[in-house]
Amino acid sequence: MVRELADYEKALHEARATEEQLREALFGERPAVFAHIAETESGEVAGFALWFLNFSTWRGVHGIYLEDLYVRPQHRGGGYGKALLRELAGLCVERGYERLEWSVLDWNSSAVDFYRSVGAVSLDEWTVNRLTGDALRELGGAQ
């Protein structure tokens, strides 16, 4: 499903994670990411949410950063995405986390509309920044 999501987001060429890397991140000695799977009544996997903890220095508590929310096309509109978001929001409430955050591609109007329908607010004044590849290695001291 990770590759399905990357293809949907027009970035399949960037999806290089291996099953072993994901297995280690999710189920290794010190898991760094967590996942929830949505299944149909018959047990078919309909979608997933992959997330990790972040921290707000202003609020002094952790939050959840939703890295990926994906529902397979044939299951969209069936409530699976909302159920996954509801589960993560419930974890935030239960654990005293004050934020559930994620990014969405601006061209993905159906996702933007869906997120607004559950009360999410776009933080238009913030711009995501990213270092990768040569720029990351250069700044990190590897020539």
Side-chain angles (χ1 to χ4, degrees), residues 44-95:
E44 181 184 356
V45 176
F48 76 97
L50 186 96
W51 59 276
F52 54 88
L53 293 179
N54 59 15
F55 186 81
S56 170
T57 54
W58 291 9
R59 300 201 179 217
V61 296
H62 284 288
I64 287 178
Y65 185 83
L66 175 60
E67 179 66 22
D68 291 319
L69 176 66
Y70 179 70
V71 176
R72 289 183 157 149
Q74 65 270 32
H75 299 296
R76 292 183 188 151
Y80 297 104
K82 189 170 187 177
L84 287 164
L85 281 177
R86 182 178 285 120
E87 180 68 21
L88 297 184
L91 281 176
C92 287
V93 171
E94 174 185 310
R95 297 178 182 181

mmCIF file of all heavy atoms in Angstrom, residues 44-95:
data_model
loop_
_atom_site.group_PDB
_atom_site.id
_atom_site.type_symbol
_atom_site.label_atom_id
_atom_site.label_comp_id
_atom_site.label_asym_id
_atom_site.label_seq_id
_atom_site.Cartn_x
_atom_site.Cartn_y
_atom_site.Cartn_z
ATOM 1 N N GLU A 44 -10.536 -7.825 4.377
ATOM 2 C CA GLU A 44 -9.685 -7.224 3.349
ATOM 3 C C GLU A 44 -9.111 -5.914 3.878
ATOM 4 O O GLU A 44 -9.817 -5.128 4.512
ATOM 5 C CB GLU A 44 -10.516 -6.963 2.090
ATOM 6 C CG GLU A 44 -9.724 -6.359 0.959
ATOM 7 C CD GLU A 44 -10.603 -6.025 -0.245
ATOM 8 O OE1 GLU A 44 -11.808 -6.334 -0.235
ATOM 9 O OE2 GLU A 44 -10.062 -5.410 -1.184
ATOM 10 N N VAL A 45 -7.829 -5.673 3.616
ATOM 11 C CA VAL A 45 -7.202 -4.433 4.050
ATOM 12 C C VAL A 45 -7.699 -3.291 3.166
ATOM 13 O O VAL A 45 -7.523 -3.314 1.957
ATOM 14 C CB VAL A 45 -5.671 -4.527 4.017
ATOM 15 C CG1 VAL A 45 -5.030 -3.191 4.369
ATOM 16 C CG2 VAL A 45 -5.183 -5.609 4.977
ATOM 17 N N ALA A 46 -8.328 -2.316 3.807
ATOM 18 C CA ALA A 46 -8.903 -1.177 3.085
ATOM 19 C C ALA A 46 -7.983 0.033 3.084
ATOM 20 O O ALA A 46 -8.012 0.845 2.157
ATOM 21 C CB ALA A 46 -10.248 -0.798 3.694
ATOM 22 N N GLY A 47 -7.156 0.175 4.119
ATOM 23 C CA GLY A 47 -6.292 1.342 4.210
ATOM 24 C C GLY A 47 -5.416 1.298 5.440
ATOM 25 O O GLY A 47 -5.471 0.341 6.226
ATOM 26 N N PHE A 48 -4.619 2.340 5.597
ATOM 27 C CA PHE A 48 -3.727 2.406 6.751
ATOM 28 C C PHE A 48 -3.434 3.852 7.132
ATOM 29 O O PHE A 48 -3.582 4.769 6.321
ATOM 30 C CB PHE A 48 -2.415 1.654 6.494
ATOM 31 C CG PHE A 48 -1.448 2.388 5.588
ATOM 32 C CD1 PHE A 48 -0.417 3.152 6.126
ATOM 33 C CD2 PHE A 48 -1.558 2.304 4.209
ATOM 34 C CE1 PHE A 48 0.479 3.816 5.298
ATOM 35 C CE2 PHE A 48 -0.674 2.973 3.373
ATOM 36 C CZ PHE A 48 0.348 3.728 3.919
ATOM 37 N N ALA A 49 -2.998 4.013 8.364
ATOM 38 C CA ALA A 49 -2.471 5.284 8.868
ATOM 39 C C ALA A 49 -1.119 4.980 9.492
ATOM 40 O O ALA A 49 -1.015 4.078 10.329
ATOM 41 C CB ALA A 49 -3.409 5.892 9.903
ATOM 42 N N LEU A 50 -0.087 5.698 9.079
ATOM 43 C CA LEU A 50 1.255 5.538 9.637
ATOM 44 C C LEU A 50 1.617 6.849 10.319
ATOM 45 O O LEU A 50 1.489 7.915 9.716
ATOM 46 C CB LEU A 50 2.261 5.222 8.527
ATOM 47 C CG LEU A 50 3.654 4.911 9.042
ATOM 48 C CD1 LEU A 50 3.802 3.399 9.155
ATOM 49 C CD2 LEU A 50 4.706 5.479 8.122
ATOM 50 N N TRP A 51 2.065 6.761 11.568
ATOM 51 C CA TRP A 51 2.287 7.977 12.349
ATOM 52 C C TRP A 51 3.458 7.820 13.304
ATOM 53 O O TRP A 51 3.946 6.720 13.538
ATOM 54 C CB TRP A 51 1.030 8.351 13.121
ATOM 55 C CG TRP A 51 0.543 7.292 14.075
ATOM 56 C CD1 TRP A 51 -0.258 6.217 13.773
ATOM 57 C CD2 TRP A 51 0.817 7.201 15.467
ATOM 58 N NE1 TRP A 51 -0.489 5.467 14.911
ATOM 59 C CE2 TRP A 51 0.153 6.050 15.958
ATOM 60 C CE3 TRP A 51 1.551 7.982 16.360
ATOM 61 C CZ2 TRP A 51 0.210 5.668 17.303
ATOM 62 C CZ3 TRP A 51 1.613 7.602 17.695
ATOM 63 C CH2 TRP A 51 0.942 6.459 18.150
ATOM 64 N N PHE A 52 3.890 8.957 13.842
ATOM 65 C CA PHE A 52 4.934 8.972 14.870
ATOM 66 C C PHE A 52 4.669 10.156 15.794
ATOM 67 O O PHE A 52 3.858 11.032 15.501
ATOM 68 C CB PHE A 52 6.337 9.039 14.260
ATOM 69 C CG PHE A 52 6.552 10.174 13.298
ATOM 70 C CD1 PHE A 52 6.966 11.424 13.738
ATOM 71 C CD2 PHE A 52 6.343 9.990 11.938
ATOM 72 C CE1 PHE A 52 7.161 12.468 12.855
ATOM 73 C CE2 PHE A 52 6.548 11.029 11.030
ATOM 74 C CZ PHE A 52 6.955 12.266 11.492
ATOM 75 N N LEU A 53 5.359 10.163 16.920
ATOM 76 C CA LEU A 53 5.195 11.256 17.878
ATOM 77 C C LEU A 53 5.999 12.469 17.448
ATOM 78 O O LEU A 53 7.113 12.352 16.954
ATOM 79 C CB LEU A 53 5.656 10.822 19.276
ATOM 80 C CG LEU A 53 4.823 9.759 19.965
ATOM 81 C CD1 LEU A 53 5.429 9.419 21.325
ATOM 82 C CD2 LEU A 53 3.372 10.195 20.107
ATOM 83 N N ASN A 54 5.422 13.633 17.666
ATOM 84 C CA ASN A 54 6.170 14.878 17.569
ATOM 85 C C ASN A 54 6.069 15.556 18.938
ATOM 86 O O ASN A 54 5.526 14.977 19.882
ATOM 87 C CB ASN A 54 5.669 15.764 16.421
ATOM 88 C CG ASN A 54 4.214 16.150 16.549
ATOM 89 O OD1 ASN A 54 3.580 16.020 17.585
ATOM 90 N ND2 ASN A 54 3.653 16.641 15.445
ATOM 91 N N PHE A 55 6.601 16.750 19.057
ATOM 92 C CA PHE A 55 6.578 17.430 20.346
ATOM 93 C C PHE A 55 6.402 18.921 20.118
ATOM 94 O O PHE A 55 7.033 19.514 19.245
ATOM 95 C CB PHE A 55 7.881 17.184 21.118
ATOM 96 C CG PHE A 55 7.859 17.747 22.512
ATOM 97 C CD1 PHE A 55 7.242 17.061 23.545
ATOM 98 C CD2 PHE A 55 8.432 18.981 22.787
ATOM 99 C CE1 PHE A 55 7.201 17.581 24.833
ATOM 100 C CE2 PHE A 55 8.400 19.507 24.064
ATOM 101 C CZ PHE A 55 7.781 18.810 25.092
ATOM 102 N N SER A 56 5.548 19.536 20.929
ATOM 103 C CA SER A 56 5.338 20.979 20.863
ATOM 104 C C SER A 56 6.053 21.644 22.027
ATOM 105 O O SER A 56 5.683 21.431 23.187
ATOM 106 C CB SER A 56 3.844 21.298 20.933
ATOM 107 O OG SER A 56 3.666 22.695 21.106
ATOM 108 N N THR A 57 7.051 22.449 21.719
ATOM 109 C CA THR A 57 7.725 23.187 22.790
ATOM 110 C C THR A 57 6.807 24.246 23.385
ATOM 111 O O THR A 57 6.962 24.624 24.545
ATOM 112 C CB THR A 57 9.009 23.861 22.275
ATOM 113 O OG1 THR A 57 8.697 24.671 21.136
ATOM 114 C CG2 THR A 57 10.050 22.829 21.906
ATOM 115 N N TRP A 58 5.842 24.723 22.630
ATOM 116 C CA TRP A 58 4.916 25.731 23.133
ATOM 117 C C TRP A 58 3.907 25.124 24.089
ATOM 118 O O TRP A 58 3.502 25.762 25.054
ATOM 119 C CB TRP A 58 4.192 26.422 22.000
ATOM 120 C CG TRP A 58 5.070 27.299 21.160
ATOM 121 C CD1 TRP A 58 6.435 27.393 21.222
ATOM 122 C CD2 TRP A 58 4.661 28.185 20.144
ATOM 123 N NE1 TRP A 58 6.887 28.284 20.296
ATOM 124 C CE2 TRP A 58 5.810 28.795 19.614
ATOM 125 C CE3 TRP A 58 3.426 28.528 19.616
ATOM 126 C CZ2 TRP A 58 5.771 29.722 18.598
ATOM 127 C CZ3 TRP A 58 3.385 29.459 18.591
ATOM 128 C CH2 TRP A 58 4.550 30.053 18.097
ATOM 129 N N ARG A 59 3.478 23.921 23.817
ATOM 130 C CA ARG A 59 2.473 23.285 24.679
ATOM 131 C C ARG A 59 3.091 22.354 25.716
ATOM 132 O O ARG A 59 2.443 21.984 26.677
ATOM 133 C CB ARG A 59 1.462 22.533 23.824
ATOM 134 C CG ARG A 59 0.749 23.497 22.876
ATOM 135 C CD ARG A 59 -0.525 22.957 22.398
ATOM 136 N NE ARG A 59 -1.158 23.929 21.514
ATOM 137 C CZ ARG A 59 -2.432 24.139 21.481
ATOM 138 N NH1 ARG A 59 -3.230 23.476 22.268
ATOM 139 N NH2 ARG A 59 -2.944 25.016 20.643
ATOM 140 N N GLY A 60 4.321 21.936 25.455
ATOM 141 C CA GLY A 60 5.027 21.097 26.414
ATOM 142 C C GLY A 60 4.592 19.638 26.412
ATOM 143 O O GLY A 60 4.866 18.922 27.379
ATOM 144 N N VAL A 61 3.929 19.210 25.370
ATOM 145 C CA VAL A 61 3.469 17.816 25.289
ATOM 146 C C VAL A 61 3.670 17.270 23.873
ATOM 147 O O VAL A 61 3.839 18.024 22.918
ATOM 148 C CB VAL A 61 1.972 17.676 25.671
ATOM 149 C CG1 VAL A 61 1.735 18.059 27.121
ATOM 150 C CG2 VAL A 61 1.094 18.488 24.742
ATOM 151 N N HIS A 62 3.625 15.956 23.804
ATOM 152 C CA HIS A 62 3.697 15.285 22.507
ATOM 153 C C HIS A 62 2.426 15.496 21.717
ATOM 154 O O HIS A 62 1.392 15.900 22.244
ATOM 155 C CB HIS A 62 3.899 13.770 22.695
ATOM 156 C CG HIS A 62 5.284 13.399 23.074
ATOM 157 N ND1 HIS A 62 6.341 13.460 22.201
ATOM 158 C CD2 HIS A 62 5.788 12.953 24.242
ATOM 159 C CE1 HIS A 62 7.438 13.072 22.809
ATOM 160 N NE2 HIS A 62 7.130 12.765 24.052
ATOM 161 N N GLY A 63 2.521 15.172 20.453
ATOM 162 C CA GLY A 63 1.385 15.097 19.550
ATOM 163 C C GLY A 63 1.645 13.965 18.589
ATOM 164 O O GLY A 63 2.673 13.293 18.649
ATOM 165 N N ILE A 64 0.718 13.754 17.702
ATOM 166 C CA ILE A 64 0.878 12.736 16.666
ATOM 167 C C ILE A 64 1.057 13.444 15.334
ATOM 168 O O ILE A 64 0.303 14.357 14.994
ATOM 169 C CB ILE A 64 -0.348 11.802 16.621
ATOM 170 C CG1 ILE A 64 -0.328 10.871 17.837
ATOM 171 C CG2 ILE A 64 -0.388 11.005 15.317
ATOM 172 C CD1 ILE A 64 -1.528 9.940 17.922
ATOM 173 N N TYR A 65 2.069 13.014 14.597
ATOM 174 C CA TYR A 65 2.227 13.459 13.222
ATOM 175 C C TYR A 65 1.830 12.292 12.329
ATOM 176 O O TYR A 65 2.438 11.221 12.375
ATOM 177 C CB TYR A 65 3.652 13.910 12.895
ATOM 178 C CG TYR A 65 3.690 14.475 11.502
ATOM 179 C CD1 TYR A 65 3.326 15.793 11.277
ATOM 180 C CD2 TYR A 65 3.994 13.676 10.408
ATOM 181 C CE1 TYR A 65 3.278 16.315 9.991
ATOM 182 C CE2 TYR A 65 3.949 14.186 9.128
ATOM 183 C CZ TYR A 65 3.595 15.500 8.924
ATOM 184 O OH TYR A 65 3.532 16.011 7.655
ATOM 185 N N LEU A 66 0.804 12.490 11.549
ATOM 186 C CA LEU A 66 0.300 11.482 10.626
ATOM 187 C C LEU A 66 1.104 11.585 9.341
ATOM 188 O O LEU A 66 0.941 12.522 8.569
ATOM 189 C CB LEU A 66 -1.192 11.723 10.368
ATOM 190 C CG LEU A 66 -1.877 10.845 9.342
ATOM 191 C CD1 LEU A 66 -1.797 9.371 9.725
ATOM 192 C CD2 LEU A 66 -3.330 11.293 9.180
ATOM 193 N N GLU A 67 1.982 10.647 9.137
ATOM 194 C CA GLU A 67 2.833 10.654 7.941
ATOM 195 C C GLU A 67 2.043 10.258 6.699
ATOM 196 O O GLU A 67 2.173 10.882 5.654
ATOM 197 C CB GLU A 67 4.018 9.707 8.138
ATOM 198 C CG GLU A 67 4.947 9.610 6.944
ATOM 199 C CD GLU A 67 5.687 10.899 6.626
ATOM 200 O OE1 GLU A 67 5.841 11.769 7.505
ATOM 201 O OE2 GLU A 67 6.110 11.038 5.472
ATOM 202 N N ASP A 68 1.256 9.203 6.823
ATOM 203 C CA ASP A 68 0.484 8.717 5.682
ATOM 204 C C ASP A 68 -0.887 8.252 6.121
ATOM 205 O O ASP A 68 -1.012 7.517 7.106
ATOM 206 C CB ASP A 68 1.183 7.531 5.002
ATOM 207 C CG ASP A 68 2.463 7.915 4.295
ATOM 208 O OD1 ASP A 68 2.482 8.983 3.652
ATOM 209 O OD2 ASP A 68 3.440 7.144 4.381
ATOM 210 N N LEU A 69 -1.888 8.661 5.381
ATOM 211 C CA LEU A 69 -3.240 8.125 5.511
ATOM 212 C C LEU A 69 -3.636 7.707 4.105
ATOM 213 O O LEU A 69 -3.639 8.537 3.191
ATOM 214 C CB LEU A 69 -4.216 9.176 6.041
ATOM 215 C CG LEU A 69 -5.681 8.727 6.111
ATOM 216 C CD1 LEU A 69 -5.862 7.615 7.146
ATOM 217 C CD2 LEU A 69 -6.575 9.897 6.449
ATOM 218 N N TYR A 70 -3.926 6.439 3.937
ATOM 219 C CA TYR A 70 -4.249 5.933 2.606
ATOM 220 C C TYR A 70 -5.399 4.954 2.694
ATOM 221 O O TYR A 70 -5.385 4.040 3.520
ATOM 222 C CB TYR A 70 -3.035 5.235 1.989
ATOM 223 C CG TYR A 70 -3.304 4.667 0.625
ATOM 224 C CD1 TYR A 70 -3.495 5.494 -0.475
ATOM 225 C CD2 TYR A 70 -3.370 3.294 0.423
ATOM 226 C CE1 TYR A 70 -3.750 4.985 -1.740
ATOM 227 C CE2 TYR A 70 -3.618 2.765 -0.836
ATOM 228 C CZ TYR A 70 -3.805 3.611 -1.912
ATOM 229 O OH TYR A 70 -4.060 3.095 -3.152
ATOM 230 N N VAL A 71 -6.384 5.176 1.851
ATOM 231 C CA VAL A 71 -7.492 4.242 1.693
ATOM 232 C C VAL A 71 -7.514 3.848 0.227
ATOM 233 O O VAL A 71 -7.482 4.721 -0.658
ATOM 234 C CB VAL A 71 -8.836 4.865 2.121
ATOM 235 C CG1 VAL A 71 -9.986 3.908 1.851
ATOM 236 C CG2 VAL A 71 -8.795 5.249 3.603
ATOM 237 N N ARG A 72 -7.547 2.566 -0.023
ATOM 238 C CA ARG A 72 -7.560 2.071 -1.396
ATOM 239 C C ARG A 72 -8.775 2.631 -2.134
ATOM 240 O O ARG A 72 -9.850 2.780 -1.555
ATOM 241 C CB ARG A 72 -7.559 0.559 -1.398
ATOM 242 C CG ARG A 72 -6.217 0.004 -0.965
ATOM 243 C CD ARG A 72 -6.179 -1.496 -1.041
ATOM 244 N NE ARG A 72 -4.795 -1.924 -1.144
ATOM 245 C CZ ARG A 72 -4.355 -3.068 -0.660
ATOM 246 N NH1 ARG A 72 -5.175 -3.921 -0.066
ATOM 247 N NH2 ARG A 72 -3.080 -3.395 -0.794
ATOM 248 N N PRO A 73 -8.590 2.935 -3.435
ATOM 249 C CA PRO A 73 -9.657 3.585 -4.198
ATOM 250 C C PRO A 73 -11.017 2.901 -4.105
ATOM 251 O O PRO A 73 -12.041 3.576 -3.965
ATOM 252 C CB PRO A 73 -9.119 3.557 -5.639
ATOM 253 C CG PRO A 73 -7.637 3.539 -5.480
ATOM 254 C CD PRO A 73 -7.374 2.744 -4.229
ATOM 255 N N GLN A 74 -11.050 1.586 -4.143
ATOM 256 C CA GLN A 74 -12.331 0.874 -4.113
ATOM 257 C C GLN A 74 -13.036 0.973 -2.756
ATOM 258 O O GLN A 74 -14.211 0.635 -2.648
ATOM 259 C CB GLN A 74 -12.168 -0.602 -4.525
ATOM 260 C CG GLN A 74 -11.325 -1.443 -3.577
ATOM 261 C CD GLN A 74 -9.844 -1.467 -3.910
ATOM 262 O OE1 GLN A 74 -9.300 -0.503 -4.428
ATOM 263 N NE2 GLN A 74 -9.189 -2.580 -3.586
ATOM 264 N N HIS A 75 -12.332 1.467 -1.728
ATOM 265 C CA HIS A 75 -12.921 1.582 -0.394
ATOM 266 C C HIS A 75 -13.147 3.023 0.047
ATOM 267 O O HIS A 75 -13.632 3.266 1.149
ATOM 268 C CB HIS A 75 -12.046 0.854 0.632
ATOM 269 C CG HIS A 75 -11.909 -0.603 0.353
ATOM 270 N ND1 HIS A 75 -12.977 -1.472 0.395
ATOM 271 C CD2 HIS A 75 -10.831 -1.346 0.013
ATOM 272 C CE1 HIS A 75 -12.559 -2.699 0.102
ATOM 273 N NE2 HIS A 75 -11.272 -2.641 -0.140
ATOM 274 N N ARG A 76 -12.777 3.968 -0.812
ATOM 275 C CA ARG A 76 -12.979 5.382 -0.465
ATOM 276 C C ARG A 76 -14.461 5.688 -0.374
ATOM 277 O O ARG A 76 -15.264 5.147 -1.124
ATOM 278 C CB ARG A 76 -12.290 6.290 -1.484
ATOM 279 C CG ARG A 76 -10.788 6.144 -1.376
ATOM 280 C CD ARG A 76 -10.024 7.040 -2.289
ATOM 281 N NE ARG A 76 -8.615 6.649 -2.193
ATOM 282 C CZ ARG A 76 -7.742 6.775 -3.166
ATOM 283 N NH1 ARG A 76 -8.106 7.335 -4.306
ATOM 284 N NH2 ARG A 76 -6.503 6.380 -2.991
ATOM 285 N N GLY A 77 -14.806 6.529 0.585
ATOM 286 C CA GLY A 77 -16.205 6.863 0.815
ATOM 287 C C GLY A 77 -16.896 5.892 1.747
ATOM 288 O O GLY A 77 -18.065 6.067 2.075
ATOM 289 N N GLY A 78 -16.155 4.883 2.205
ATOM 290 C CA GLY A 78 -16.735 3.869 3.088
ATOM 291 C C GLY A 78 -16.519 4.139 4.571
ATOM 292 O O GLY A 78 -16.860 3.299 5.406
ATOM 293 N N GLY A 79 -15.937 5.279 4.898
ATOM 294 C CA GLY A 79 -15.737 5.637 6.297
ATOM 295 C C GLY A 79 -14.417 5.173 6.897
ATOM 296 O O GLY A 79 -14.155 5.422 8.074
ATOM 297 N N TYR A 80 -13.564 4.535 6.103
ATOM 298 C CA TYR A 80 -12.309 4.006 6.644
ATOM 299 C C TYR A 80 -11.325 5.112 7.016
ATOM 300 O O TYR A 80 -10.661 5.046 8.056
ATOM 301 C CB TYR A 80 -11.671 3.031 5.656
ATOM 302 C CG TYR A 80 -12.530 1.826 5.408
ATOM 303 C CD1 TYR A 80 -13.260 1.690 4.234
ATOM 304 C CD2 TYR A 80 -12.637 0.817 6.363
ATOM 305 C CE1 TYR A 80 -14.066 0.585 4.009
ATOM 306 C CE2 TYR A 80 -13.440 -0.293 6.155
ATOM 307 C CZ TYR A 80 -14.151 -0.399 4.975
ATOM 308 O OH TYR A 80 -14.954 -1.488 4.761
ATOM 309 N N GLY A 81 -11.209 6.129 6.168
ATOM 310 C CA GLY A 81 -10.312 7.242 6.477
ATOM 311 C C GLY A 81 -10.733 7.961 7.746
ATOM 312 O O GLY A 81 -9.915 8.264 8.613
ATOM 313 N N LYS A 82 -12.023 8.207 7.866
ATOM 314 C CA LYS A 82 -12.529 8.880 9.061
ATOM 315 C C LYS A 82 -12.321 8.015 10.301
ATOM 316 O O LYS A 82 -11.961 8.519 11.367
ATOM 317 C CB LYS A 82 -14.004 9.228 8.899
ATOM 318 C CG LYS A 82 -14.521 10.118 10.011
ATOM 319 C CD LYS A 82 -15.909 10.632 9.688
ATOM 320 C CE LYS A 82 -16.361 11.650 10.713
ATOM 321 N NZ LYS A 82 -17.673 12.210 10.366
ATOM 322 N N ALA A 83 -12.501 6.705 10.160
ATOM 323 C CA ALA A 83 -12.285 5.799 11.299
ATOM 324 C C ALA A 83 -10.822 5.820 11.735
ATOM 325 O O ALA A 83 -10.530 5.819 12.938
ATOM 326 C CB ALA A 83 -12.723 4.379 10.931
ATOM 327 N N LEU A 84 -9.905 5.868 10.780
ATOM 328 C CA LEU A 84 -8.482 5.923 11.129
ATOM 329 C C LEU A 84 -8.156 7.240 11.829
ATOM 330 O O LEU A 84 -7.455 7.255 12.843
ATOM 331 C CB LEU A 84 -7.629 5.732 9.876
ATOM 332 C CG LEU A 84 -7.606 4.314 9.311
ATOM 333 C CD1 LEU A 84 -7.065 4.303 7.883
ATOM 334 C CD2 LEU A 84 -6.797 3.386 10.205
ATOM 335 N N LEU A 85 -8.664 8.353 11.299
ATOM 336 C CA LEU A 85 -8.442 9.649 11.953
ATOM 337 C C LEU A 85 -9.059 9.678 13.344
ATOM 338 O O LEU A 85 -8.471 10.209 14.290
ATOM 339 C CB LEU A 85 -9.012 10.786 11.115
ATOM 340 C CG LEU A 85 -8.176 11.251 9.935
ATOM 341 C CD1 LEU A 85 -8.912 12.346 9.164
ATOM 342 C CD2 LEU A 85 -6.813 11.744 10.370
ATOM 343 N N ARG A 86 -10.251 9.115 13.479
ATOM 344 C CA ARG A 86 -10.923 9.072 14.777
ATOM 345 C C ARG A 86 -10.078 8.275 15.788
ATOM 346 O O ARG A 86 -9.958 8.666 16.952
ATOM 347 C CB ARG A 86 -12.315 8.455 14.640
ATOM 348 C CG ARG A 86 -13.081 8.446 15.967
ATOM 349 C CD ARG A 86 -14.487 7.872 15.815
ATOM 350 N NE ARG A 86 -15.342 8.869 15.151
ATOM 351 C CZ ARG A 86 -15.964 8.680 13.993
ATOM 352 N NH1 ARG A 86 -15.878 7.539 13.353
ATOM 353 N NH2 ARG A 86 -16.711 9.636 13.492
ATOM 354 N N GLU A 87 -9.492 7.189 15.339
ATOM 355 C CA GLU A 87 -8.634 6.379 16.216
ATOM 356 C C GLU A 87 -7.435 7.184 16.700
ATOM 357 O O GLU A 87 -7.095 7.162 17.884
ATOM 358 C CB GLU A 87 -8.171 5.122 15.473
ATOM 359 C CG GLU A 87 -7.274 4.224 16.281
ATOM 360 C CD GLU A 87 -7.954 3.542 17.452
ATOM 361 O OE1 GLU A 87 -9.196 3.425 17.464
ATOM 362 O OE2 GLU A 87 -7.233 3.120 18.385
ATOM 363 N N LEU A 88 -6.804 7.913 15.789
ATOM 364 C CA LEU A 88 -5.638 8.715 16.185
ATOM 365 C C LEU A 88 -6.036 9.876 17.083
ATOM 366 O O LEU A 88 -5.338 10.193 18.049
ATOM 367 C CB LEU A 88 -4.897 9.217 14.947
ATOM 368 C CG LEU A 88 -4.290 8.128 14.058
ATOM 369 C CD1 LEU A 88 -3.510 8.758 12.919
ATOM 370 C CD2 LEU A 88 -3.423 7.176 14.849
ATOM 371 N N ALA A 89 -7.154 10.521 16.787
ATOM 372 C CA ALA A 89 -7.647 11.591 17.652
ATOM 373 C C ALA A 89 -7.948 11.035 19.043
ATOM 374 O O ALA A 89 -7.652 11.678 20.060
ATOM 375 C CB ALA A 89 -8.889 12.234 17.048
ATOM 376 N N GLY A 90 -8.511 9.845 19.099
ATOM 377 C CA GLY A 90 -8.783 9.203 20.388
ATOM 378 C C GLY A 90 -7.511 8.933 21.171
ATOM 379 O O GLY A 90 -7.482 9.117 22.392
ATOM 380 N N LEU A 91 -6.451 8.499 20.475
ATOM 381 C CA LEU A 91 -5.162 8.305 21.150
ATOM 382 C C LEU A 91 -4.655 9.623 21.722
ATOM 383 O O LEU A 91 -4.126 9.654 22.839
ATOM 384 C CB LEU A 91 -4.126 7.742 20.179
ATOM 385 C CG LEU A 91 -4.178 6.268 19.878
ATOM 386 C CD1 LEU A 91 -3.133 5.904 18.818
ATOM 387 C CD2 LEU A 91 -3.941 5.450 21.130
ATOM 388 N N CYS A 92 -4.788 10.693 20.952
ATOM 389 C CA CYS A 92 -4.351 12.011 21.436
ATOM 390 C C CYS A 92 -5.099 12.375 22.715
ATOM 391 O O CYS A 92 -4.476 12.776 23.714
ATOM 392 C CB CYS A 92 -4.591 13.087 20.379
ATOM 393 S SG CYS A 92 -3.464 13.025 18.975
ATOM 394 N N VAL A 93 -6.397 12.226 22.703
ATOM 395 C CA VAL A 93 -7.207 12.578 23.871
ATOM 396 C C VAL A 93 -6.828 11.694 25.058
ATOM 397 O O VAL A 93 -6.581 12.185 26.167
ATOM 398 C CB VAL A 93 -8.707 12.449 23.539
ATOM 399 C CG1 VAL A 93 -9.563 12.599 24.785
ATOM 400 C CG2 VAL A 93 -9.112 13.479 22.486
ATOM 401 N N GLU A 94 -6.737 10.398 24.820
ATOM 402 C CA GLU A 94 -6.422 9.438 25.889
ATOM 403 C C GLU A 94 -5.060 9.697 26.522
ATOM 404 O O GLU A 94 -4.887 9.589 27.728
ATOM 405 C CB GLU A 94 -6.459 8.032 25.287
ATOM 406 C CG GLU A 94 -6.037 6.908 26.190
ATOM 407 C CD GLU A 94 -5.993 5.590 25.425
ATOM 408 O OE1 GLU A 94 -6.985 5.266 24.733
ATOM 409 O OE2 GLU A 94 -4.958 4.902 25.510
ATOM 410 N N ARG A 95 -4.079 10.071 25.714
ATOM 411 C CA ARG A 95 -2.701 10.234 26.197
ATOM 412 C C ARG A 95 -2.352 11.674 26.555
ATOM 413 O O ARG A 95 -1.233 11.957 26.970
ATOM 414 C CB ARG A 95 -1.728 9.716 25.143
ATOM 415 C CG ARG A 95 -1.895 8.227 24.895
ATOM 416 C CD ARG A 95 -0.961 7.747 23.828
ATOM 417 N NE ARG A 95 -1.163 6.332 23.567
ATOM 418 C CZ ARG A 95 -0.467 5.632 22.679
ATOM 419 N NH1 ARG A 95 0.494 6.230 21.986
ATOM 420 N NH2 ARG A 95 -0.722 4.356 22.496
#
